[in-house]
Amino acid sequence: MANKLLLSVICFFSFFSISKAQIESSIVDAAHAYARAQINADVESILNFTHPGLIEQAGGRENMKKTLQLIHQNQQNKGIKLQDFRVKESIQHTRSNGEIHALVPVVTTSKVPGGQLISETNLIAVSESGADRWYFIETTSIDERNVGKVLENWDGTLILPFKKAPVFKEDKK
């Protein structure tokens, strides 16, 4: 009897570990695809990864598309180009009201006039369908006080890290 109980406990924790690893792997894959879309200014793909609530708040898909295009055009006009978008390890995730929420640490490097701007930030990854499809919310203008306005099912289990100031690295002359 004790052996059966021990086997059951081992199976439960093995399943939990595999499930956790599969979720994190799925998030990383989606985040890499999102990063490629950002680097290539592929607005359609970015929209496909944008949380539907954000699209709705922007007035629909076409309005959000125009906004993203305008942002990319303004950055291009200012000589700003995203060069690198790396997903860091230590993804945290939880289940909240039927959704999976995850904090995904990322490091971005942008070419700016006179150098590079390196930023460490986090994305919030959201899956409404059990890790099959991921949406991302950038946290540059989100904190603990307003995250619930953007993501209704946020339960506060995950704590948004403090924001770090970007680091400017001047071009070598």
Side-chain angles (χ1 to χ4, degrees):
M1 180 67 178
N3 287 339
K4 286 184 180 181
L5 179 60
L6 180 61
L7 183 60
S8 295
V9 168
I10 290 171
C11 287
F12 172 78
F13 283 111
S14 295
F15 174 77
F16 180 76
S17 294
I18 291 169
S19 176
K20 182 178 191 263
Q22 287 173 336
I23 288 171
E24 290 178 10
S25 175
S26 176
I27 293 168
V28 168
D29 290 345
H32 284 140
Y34 178 73
R36 282 190 302 277
Q38 288 286 0
I39 288 171
N40 295 318
D42 180 353
V43 173
E44 285 298 326
S45 294
I46 293 168
L47 279 168
N48 291 336
F49 283 109
T50 301
H51 190 271
L54 289 177
I55 292 174
E56 184 180 314
Q57 288 177 10
R61 189 172 176 93
E62 280 307 308
N63 282 346
M64 181 65 110
K65 181 177 180 178
K66 288 176 187 173
T67 299
L68 289 172
Q69 288 170 330
L70 184 61
I71 289 168
H72 286 290
Q73 187 61 49
N74 284 338
Q75 288 179 337
Q76 187 176 28
N77 292 344
K78 293 178 181 177
I80 301 170
K81 170 81 172 122
L82 183 63
Q83 293 179 315
D84 190 35
F85 192 116
R86 286 184 295 118
V87 178
K88 293 173 58 179
E89 296 299 318
S90 72
I91 294 172
Q92 301 173 37
H93 71 275
T94 188
R95 293 186 185 268
S96 177
N97 298 317
E99 296 178 340
I100 300 172
H101 296 167
L103 289 178
V104 183
V106 297
V107 177
T108 62
T109 304
S110 297
K111 176 68 180 126
V112 297
Q116 291 182 320
L117 198 59
I118 301 166
S119 301
E120 289 188 44
T121 188
N122 288 273
L123 300 173
I124 298 173
V126 180
S127 178
E128 299 167 341
S129 60
D132 295 334
R133 174 121 171 83
W134 291 99
Y135 298 104
F136 294 99
I137 300 170
E138 300 213 12
T139 62
T140 50
S141 60
I142 295 175
D143 59 28
E144 290 297 327
R145 294 173 299 188
N146 63 4
V147 67
K149 293 178 184 174
V150 176
L151 190 56
E152 290 179 14
N153 289 328
W154 186 262
D155 67 2
T157 302
L158 298 174
I159 305 297
L160 294 176
F162 290 110
K163 296 186 182 5
K164 295 180 179 179
V167 175
F168 177 75
K169 286 192 175 181
E170 188 173 5
D171 285 340
K172 294 178 182 175
K173 296 180 184 189

